[in-house]
């Protein structure tokens, strides 16, 4: 029996999980799981680019039908690119 589902992980800055969920719900996803996380920012990179990197993150986990995987990833990356750290 082959697996009919995929798990999508989206790592976002804290406070932006609803934006990710709104984007994937437009493709038929019905819900997800949100985990609080903390990143380990490289302070040398912060100094080099002159930016502040928030260590507080949230991980959104969504189980979707395998056939929808590519579309869901594209929707997340296109609609959430301002605050998404990584999606796979």
């Amino acid at each position: 029996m082959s697996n009919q589902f995929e798990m999508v992980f989206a790592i976002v800055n804290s406070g932006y999980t609803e934006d990710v969920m709104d984007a994937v719900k437009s493709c038929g996803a019905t819900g997800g799981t949100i985990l609080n996380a903390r990143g380990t920012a490289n302070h040398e990179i912060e100094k080099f680019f002159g930016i502040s990197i928030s260590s507080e993150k949230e991980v959104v986990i969504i189980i979707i039908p395998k056939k929808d995987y590519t579309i869901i990833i594209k929707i997340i990356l296109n609609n959430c690119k301002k605050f998404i750290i990584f999606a796979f």
Side-chain angles (χ1 to χ4, degrees), residues 7-60:
M7 188 178 305
V8 174
F9 290 85
I11 303 169
V12 299
N13 287 322
S14 184
Y16 291 100
T17 55
E18 287 304 313
D19 296 279
V20 172
M21 288 309 304
D22 289 344
V24 298
K25 283 180 181 178
S26 72
C27 290
T30 57
T33 300
I34 299 166
L35 304 173
N36 291 318
R38 185 176 36 199
T40 56
N42 182 331
H43 297 291
E44 295 301 317
I45 290 175
E46 287 184 46
K47 289 177 188 175
F48 179 77
F49 287 111
I51 59 172
S52 175
I53 300 173
S54 170
S55 63
E56 296 301 313
K57 309 287 182 230
E58 292 175 330
V59 179
V60 182

